[in-house]
Amino acid sequence: MLPADPGVRRIARSLYESTRALPIVSPHGHCDPAALAGDTAFTSPATELVTKDHYLLRMLYSQGVPLEALGVPRRDGGPVVSDGRQIWRELATRYTLFRGTPSMLWLDHTLQEVFGVTERLSAKNADAVYDDISARLLQQDYRPRALFDRFGIAFLATTDGALDTLESHARLRQSGWAGRVVPTFRPDDVVDPDRPGFHAHIATLGELTGADTYRWAGYLDALRSRRAAFVAAGATASDHGHPSPATADLSRREAEDLFGRMVAGTGQPRDAELFRGQMLVEMAAMSMDDGLALQIHAGAWRDHNPTMAARFGPDQGADIPTTADYVGGLKPLLDRFGNEPRLTVIVYTLDETTYSRELAPLAGHYPALRLGPPWWFFDSPEGMRRFYRSVVETAGFANTVGFNDDSRSLLSVPARHDVARRLNAGYLADLVAEHRMEESDAAETAADLALNLACRAFRVDP
Ligand SMILES: [Zn+2]
């Protein structure tokens, strides 16, 4: 992944070498805390490396492989393949589909660096590789905590719903293990009226906190109380997966009325969007008190394929990027809190066209705003390069927050970080070779991108 020109490659190699062994700080991702709490062996290469990976699922599906064949459970309990070897073969026989994609970079990296597999995965070696990985996963040194230590992970944040009891996180803390694994407060289920089960979730929120969540003040108290539980478990951030970055700052009376319509189910079509927007501002106000960084992942049209959603539920690779308006959408939030250096709002987008036009100028001005790394379709080498080229000249590196792996499996965390560190080295080496940056400054920036910016934005002590 380093630049082809030998002179630039020399610089890039030296920058990469200076960051490759730095600890991994992973402030946003979707690893399962239960795996680390129980420290039990991963069950199968297929479950861990195929069925959980929505990048693989979507590509295979697009080429005619039904998700049932990849082990994804159906909502109606209908039959799906459960034999890991058969699932693994589905991937191996079609592995060439991933040529030129980051999926192949990541999976090759994981197979080679974590499992010592040096041959490219294919139909021919599918069974041998499967047997090899399966055997290793049973060894003590392939247990989740051993891998966590071997990967050099200094900090790992999981993503947890507001109604999550954080039982796995409590077990982790009580176990006396030194690994730092913390939750992230993701309240979409209780702040987004369009989510299935919203009303039931409001009731559960009340039961969990003892607050009257059918009243606006009680509802906000309940959210405050859940945030406090997350902070007590080590959380340093909240995260909000909203369809758009719209925010709103209504008067108390208007907010109360809007909430009333949401719980009564009498809202107008645009009320849900307004309510989500209001809740982002309420969350920012709470962040001013409890210090959680506020992440907004906006611009995904979730579950674009209704057939898929009906059969398998959400998050199975059917999200599609859509257009987003950050300049207008974030204005109510920024009007109220944009000038607060104590608040950190981290914005991610699936609408790349907004980087140079909207997001870099906004983050390059408002003290409260930072740009999250390229996400989902764009955390690839080309996506990261486009990100730097679109934003750095306007917002600098200091208004970005380094890398997040957003990984769903612990096994792929090192691959993601290593690919990013190599890409960063190449991008910075170009600047050095063009005499736009000193090599010593580039080395400091490479360390910032690999580690320090994430620590600062997410308040992690490295
Ligand atoms: Zn994520």
Side-chain angles (χ1 to χ4, degrees):
M1 282 184 53
L2 300 184
D5 178 273
V8 188
R9 174 169 286 202
R10 182 200 61 74
I11 303 167
R13 187 168 279 156
S14 138
L15 292 172
Y16 169 62
E17 285 302 332
S18 72
T19 57
R20 74 180 298 170
L22 287 175
I24 288 178
V25 164
S26 174
H28 174 72
H30 303 269
C31 288
D32 179 8
L36 286 154
D39 200 30
T40 45
F42 289 116
T43 45
S44 121
T47 318
E48 206 54 31
L49 293 174
V50 185
T51 309
K52 274 186 184 179
D53 188 328
H54 51 340
Y55 294 82
L56 300 185
L57 298 182
R58 69 194 319 278
M59 173 67 91
L60 292 166
Y61 184 75
S62 79
Q63 288 285 313
V65 182
L67 292 194
E68 286 89 343
L70 300 167
V72 179
R74 276 171 56 152
R75 294 178 71 188
D76 64 2
V80 303
V81 173
S82 58
D83 176 19
R85 182 182 300 277
Q86 208 177 319
I87 295 167
W88 186 253
R89 282 180 189 154
E90 297 284 354
L91 169 70
T93 55
R94 294 174 182 82
Y95 197 43
T96 53
L97 293 175
F98 296 94
R99 287 174 181 162
T101 72
S103 292
M104 189 178 270
L105 282 181
W106 293 325
L107 191 53
D108 280 358
H109 194 290
T110 299
L111 293 179
Q112 177 161 334
E113 299 293 321
V114 181
F115 295 104
V117 175
T118 51
E119 263 178 59
R120 166 72 33 78
L121 185 64
S122 67
K124 260 194 191 150
N125 63 18
D127 280 8
V129 171
Y130 185 82
D131 290 335
D132 187 12
I133 298 179
S134 301
R136 284 179 195 252
L137 286 178
L138 294 174
Q139 296 170 18
Q140 202 61 40
D141 54 344
Y142 280 83
R143 292 286 170 92
R145 290 183 186 180
L147 290 173
F148 186 98
D149 293 337
R150 174 176 144 198
F151 296 162
I153 301 176
F155 178 91
L156 180 82
T158 63
T159 299
D160 314 82
L163 302 177
D164 193 298
T165 56
L166 303 179
E167 187 258 330
S168 295
H169 285 277
R171 275 166 64 209
L172 270 166
R173 282 197 310 286
Q174 286 153 11
S175 72
W177 177 56
R180 268 193 296 173
V181 180
V182 308
T184 301
F185 182 68
R186 174 108 172 207
D188 299 349
D189 280 349
V190 292
V191 304
D192 181 352
D194 287 337
R195 289 267 166 156
F198 174 70
H199 290 92
H201 296 148
I202 297 294
T204 311
L205 181 65
E207 287 157 24
L208 206 55
T209 56
D212 178 0
T213 48
Y214 290 97
R215 284 179 43 253
W216 177 235
Y219 169 72
L220 293 180
D221 281 344
L223 289 169
R224 245 176 242 118
S225 137
R226 291 311 297 152
R227 290 172 66 104
F230 275 68
V231 169
T236 71
S238 70
D239 183 25
H240 307 273
H242 287 201
S244 86
T247 62
D249 189 13
L250 303 174
S251 70
R252 190 194 153 102
R253 179 65 196 274
E254 288 169 321
E256 230 163 18
D257 288 350
L258 177 61
F259 178 70
R261 295 199 292 281
M262 294 295 96
V263 291
T266 57
Q268 299 300 304
R270 60 175 291 279
D271 278 351
E273 177 79 345
L274 185 61
F275 185 71
R276 285 189 292 267
Q278 178 66 24
M279 289 315 298
L280 281 179
V281 171
E282 300 292 346
M283 291 291 119
M286 292 183 199
S287 281
M288 290 293 293
D289 295 330
D290 62 22
L292 294 182
L294 187 156
Q295 302 173 89
I296 303 172
H297 281 90
W301 185 326
R302 306 242 171 212
D303 308 317
H304 190 266
N305 182 341
T307 307
M308 175 81 91
R311 194 173 299 171
F312 300 101
D315 303 327
Q316 302 301 344
D319 300 346
I320 305 289
T322 181
T323 53
D325 167 21
Y326 290 88
V327 172
L330 292 177
K331 191 157 190 331
L333 173 68
L334 294 171
D335 284 350
R336 183 142 158 218
F337 293 117
N339 300 299
E340 289 287 352
R342 285 193 296 135
L343 178 68
T344 305
V345 177
I346 301 166
V347 184
Y348 303 78
T349 189
L350 283 190
D351 183 353
E352 284 188 294
T353 66
T354 60
Y355 274 136
S356 56
R357 188 185 65 235
E358 303 189 18
L359 288 174
L362 286 168
H365 169 69
Y366 284 102
L369 203 60
R370 298 285 181 269
L371 299 184
W375 159 54
W376 212 150
F377 299 96
F378 311 122
D379 58 355
S380 58
E382 295 298 338
M384 289 190 264
R385 219 171 259 141
R386 288 196 298 273
F387 171 76
Y388 287 132
R389 293 200 167 128
S390 307
V391 310
V392 168
E393 289 181 321
T394 302
F397 291 104
N399 284 307
T400 67
V401 303
F403 184 67
N404 335 150
D405 52 76
D406 210 354
S407 191
R408 290 180 171 194
S409 169
L410 186 64
L411 298 175
S412 61
V413 167
R416 306 273 168 114
H417 286 263
D418 193 51
V419 164
R421 288 173 186 190
R422 285 166 192 267
L423 185 282
N424 293 346
Y427 175 75
L428 293 168
D430 274 340
L431 297 183
V432 173
E434 292 168 14
H435 293 188
R436 291 197 277 156
M437 192 186 266
E438 293 295 330
E439 196 163 350
S440 56
D441 290 352
E444 279 180 22
T445 306
D448 286 345
L449 293 173
L451 183 64
N452 303 326
L453 285 163
C455 290
R456 213 172 300 150
F458 289 90
R459 298 177 195 191
V460 177
D461 206 357

